[in-house]
Amino acid sequence: MEFPTKVALAQTVPVLPQGPGWWYEPKYDGHRTVLRRTDETVVLYARSGRAVTQHWMDLAVAGMELRPGTVLDGEAVIWRDGRFDFAAAQSRAASSTTRAPRPGSPAPGLLRLLGCFAAPGPGYR
């Protein structure tokens, strides 16, 4: 797999299509993110392909628990006051790397999984 990789993007439509073969999922207020666990580290990519690990360091730290070779597709979100906070996610994504929240911040990032591009080993879930 080449990195950064392209992800499928949601489309807005006026009416939901009907018939067999259609799947739907809600769009949360976050940023499309691919998490790649390498042998030594975790790298997070925005949908543009830009590395955003420094902005979502709490997700990178959590990703170190995954087996090397794991690649997840998801949406980086922030849950605050009982809802997803898009302004907080935008602020985090636009922050300088020196001002990005660190693990343990009062508004931690979460990765809402959309899919798994790679999972090493049999029976890995």
Side-chain angles (χ1 to χ4, degrees), residues 68-92:
T70 301
V71 182
L72 302 175
D73 177 24
E75 191 171 2
V77 296
I78 294 178
W79 182 263
R80 183 183 290 169
D81 299 327
R83 64 179 182 83
F84 291 107
D85 188 339
F86 185 64
Q90 285 286 83
S91 177
R92 168 130 17 149

Side-chain angles (χ1 to χ4, degrees), residues 29-104:
D29 285 336
H31 288 261
R32 190 62 173 271
T33 305
V34 172
L35 182 149
R36 176 185 181 201
R37 173 66 161 95
T38 68
D39 286 336
E40 289 97 30
T41 192
V42 170
V43 182
L44 298 163
Y45 298 98
R47 71 180 191 182
S48 66
R50 181 174 59 98
V52 294
T53 311
Q54 298 277 339
H55 301 285
W56 298 94
M57 190 56 70
D58 43 2
L59 298 181
V61 169
M64 289 299 292
E65 297 296 321
L66 299 169
R67 290 183 188 169
T70 301
V71 182
L72 302 175
D73 177 24
E75 191 171 2
V77 296
I78 294 178
W79 182 263
R80 183 183 290 169
D81 299 327
R83 64 179 182 83
F84 291 107
D85 188 339
F86 185 64
Q90 285 286 83
S91 177
R92 168 130 17 149
S95 66
S96 68
T97 55
T98 57
R99 296 186 61 202
R102 297 291 177 234

